[in-house]
Amino acid sequence: MAKKNVSLVKAKIMESHWKLVFSSDQHMQVEVAKGVLHENGVSSHIVNKQNPVLVTIGDVELYVHELEFEHANQLLTEAGIIVE
C-alpha cells in the first residue's frame, strides 16, 4: 500500500512540472534543504522513498517547480547543501 502511494505522489509531481533538486538518504538533511528554500520563498515537496523497515535503503527526494529549479539549486549550493 505505501509503495502505491509513493508512486501516485511521484506521478502527480511529474505531471505538475516539478523537478528533483536534491536527494539524500538522510531525511533530516532534506528537511534542512526544504527549510532553506522555504525561508527564501521557494515552494518544495518531499517524497520519501526510503524503505519503512530498513531506512538505509532508498532516498528522500526534494522537488521544486521547474520554473524555480535554477534559483533553488543556487540557494542550496550557497547554503553548502549541494556541493559541486
Side-chain angles (χ1 to χ4, degrees):
M1 184 77 144
K3 192 173 196 177
K4 183 179 179 182
N5 288 342
V6 169
S7 297
L8 289 174
V9 168
K10 185 167 183 175
K12 287 183 180 183
I13 288 173
M14 293 303 143
E15 287 173 7
S16 60
H17 306 284
W18 288 60
K19 198 169 173 181
L20 178 66
V21 70
F22 180 69
S23 68
S24 174
D25 62 352
Q26 301 295 315
H27 194 268
M28 186 54 70
Q29 191 176 21
V30 179
E31 289 288 349
V32 169
K34 182 178 177 70
V36 168
L37 297 179
H38 178 75
E39 288 175 4
N40 288 280
V42 177
S43 298
S44 61
H45 183 74
I46 292 176
V47 175
N48 187 346
K49 293 183 164 183
Q50 289 183 322
N51 183 312
V53 177
L54 299 169
V55 294
T56 57
I57 298 174
D59 281 338
V60 181
E61 300 178 337
L62 184 63
Y63 289 85
V64 296
H65 192 276
E66 64 186 5
L67 296 177
E68 295 184 297
F69 178 80
E70 293 299 325
H71 181 58
N73 192 51
Q74 178 183 5
L75 290 169
L76 295 178
T77 300
E78 289 172 0
I81 294 170
I82 294 177
V83 180
E84 295 182 349

